Amino acid sequence: MDVKGRSSISVCNDTDILQNDEDLDLRRGPWTVEEDLTLINYIANHGEGRWNSLARCAGLKRTGKSCRLRWLNYLRPDVRRGNITLEEQLLILELHSRWGNRWSKIAQHLPGRTDNEIKNYWRTRVQKHAKQLKCDVNSKQFKDTMRYLWMPRLVERIQAASASASVSVSSSVTGTGPSPVPSTTGITASSHHHHLFNNHNNNNNSGFRSSGQFVLPKTSIGNDFGGSQVTPSYTPDNSSTAASSDSFGTPVSDLTDYYSAIPINNNHPNPDNYFQAGYGGGGQVGNYSESMTSPAAAGYYNPGLDFQAMDQININNWMDSDDASDSLWNVEDIWFLQPHHLNTTNI
DNA sequence: AAGTCTTTCAACCGCAGCACA
DNA sequence: TTGTGCTGCGGTTGAAAGACT
């Protein structure tokens, strides 16, 4: 009894029992304002859950599934709408590298974002880039490109944006009230990554704090990695230490661990800075790296290429671009996927 | 201005797991 | 133990909007 809903019994009250199929001619497609209001009002009065009976009792000619989806993905008051921020992009990449298409699980770590939204982001942005780069989104090449190029660039963008934001607002921010920091600059320049991945000391407040820090919810990383490889040191206690430091603090993930394991004297400039700054500074290699080849050791980075110059162009593009993700892909990525480069890797 | 192509995202579909009778 | 219904998840679709020609 899915969308075509062939349930024949209404249970709202006993005098309103049998209805034939014509009576249950269910609506499909976009929701109207009236339907939205009906659903909102009903949930306000009766709470959510028991979606099938909710749909019937509220008088909505929709399946319970449809009501649930509409509420969770759109009408819920805490749904966060608008562009996916850089911090969120980074988090999505990070968590997807760990969990794959576990959209719901990933969404739990992005306050206000729905699994549907994250899934759409992945399909429309990330897969689009994989297609442009002519490789499969699940291929090792593409994943490595994400890890070694895209994610470090995101961190740099975040750093650059927050640095510029801190210059412009630092004199006026007192730390109370709504954050004046633009959504793409929700972290401080000196400790950005740590705040992003940090469970922090605030147990129940998440998202962008008045200080401009992005804080994950209580159930976020560090508390909720289940059986996966999580460094025990990633705790709120540790976070408080690193939060006041220029270091990114303790390793928080396999990916960050892996970043830190890459020799800092390779010729990949931006990640260098980023690694040297202490991103995942614990130096531990996580479980995920077992399936990966060190880019430095395997000759990923061609000493002859002028990455400094290339990345300067990238940064300029970032600053000019409206789309945070699109400009992160460029000739460097294509080079990364070139046969001469791939020949050096153990695909 | 009109037609076509591309992108985005809300909504649907099918399935799996769970609770309960 | 089994059947039924409900919920939640991940994959997919299609309408609408925007970009392009």
Side-chain angles (χ1 to χ4, degrees), chain A residues 214-249:
Chain A
F214 181 84
V215 180
L216 291 171
K218 183 175 183 177
T219 57
S220 190
I221 306 171
N223 282 349
D224 191 30
F225 269 129
S228 57
Q229 298 284 324
V230 183
T231 48
S233 60
Y234 186 60
T235 64
D237 286 342
N238 287 322
S239 72
S240 64
T241 303
S244 59
S245 155
D246 283 343
S247 166
F248 295 116

Side-chain angles (χ1 to χ4, degrees), chain A residues 129 153 157 314 317-318 321 323-330:
Chain A
H129 288 304
R153 287 175 196 164
R157 275 203 75 180
N314 296 341
N317 286 342
W318 297 345
S321 173
D323 187 331
S325 59
D326 286 351
S327 62
L328 295 166
W329 299 87
N330 50 44

Side-chain angles (χ1 to χ4, degrees), chain A residues 31-46 54-62 67 71 75:
Chain A
W31 280 63
T32 66
V33 174
E34 290 75 19
E35 286 176 311
D36 282 347
L37 289 174
T38 300
L39 183 56
I40 289 169
N41 287 333
Y42 189 88
I43 289 176
N45 290 327
H46 300 90
L54 182 154
R56 288 191 295 267
C57 295
L60 288 162
K61 294 192 173 187
R62 296 274 183 174
C67 293
W71 174 254
L75 299 176

Side-chain angles (χ1 to χ4, degrees), chain A residues 115-298:
Chain A
D115 53 354
N116 211 31
E117 195 170 13
I118 293 167
K119 183 170 55 182
N120 281 332
Y121 165 76
W122 185 264
R123 294 185 63 82
T124 59
R125 306 297 185 86
V126 179
Q127 290 195 348
K128 180 182 79 175
H129 288 304
K131 191 177 176 182
Q132 286 173 348
L133 295 172
K134 294 184 171 60
C135 64
D136 187 274
V137 73
N138 294 316
S139 68
K140 184 174 184 299
Q141 300 101 299
F142 186 75
K143 288 178 179 176
D144 286 350
T145 306
M146 271 202 318
R147 289 182 202 118
Y148 308 130
L149 294 174
W150 198 7
M151 292 174 71
R153 287 175 196 164
L154 271 172
V155 172
E156 289 223 341
R157 275 203 75 180
I158 291 166
Q159 196 169 21
S162 60
S164 64
S166 68
V167 167
S168 64
V169 303
S170 61
S171 63
S172 61
V173 174
T174 60
T176 59
S179 171
V181 182
S183 62
T184 55
T185 60
I187 52 181
T188 59
S190 62
S191 57
H192 57 276
H193 180 259
H194 193 81
H195 290 306
L196 177 62
F197 289 103
N198 200 347
N199 194 28
H200 218 266
N201 295 327
N202 299 283
N203 288 337
N204 53 3
N205 294 329
S206 61
F208 292 89
R209 304 178 61 78
S210 57
S211 62
Q213 298 170 352
F214 181 84
V215 180
L216 291 171
K218 183 175 183 177
T219 57
S220 190
I221 306 171
N223 282 349
D224 191 30
F225 269 129
S228 57
Q229 298 284 324
V230 183
T231 48
S233 60
Y234 186 60
T235 64
D237 286 342
N238 287 322
S239 72
S240 64
T241 303
S244 59
S245 155
D246 283 343
S247 166
F248 295 116
T250 53
V252 298
S253 72
D254 298 327
L255 287 177
T256 52
D257 292 345
Y258 193 77
Y259 292 155
S260 67
I262 298 174
I264 61 173
N265 60 343
N266 67 58
N267 287 308
H268 197 252
N270 282 341
D272 276 0
N273 299 338
Y274 154 70
F275 300 139
Q276 286 169 344
Y279 184 81
Q284 302 172 24
V285 178
N287 188 42
Y288 198 72
S289 63
E290 291 172 5
S291 64
M292 305 187 333
T293 301
S294 165

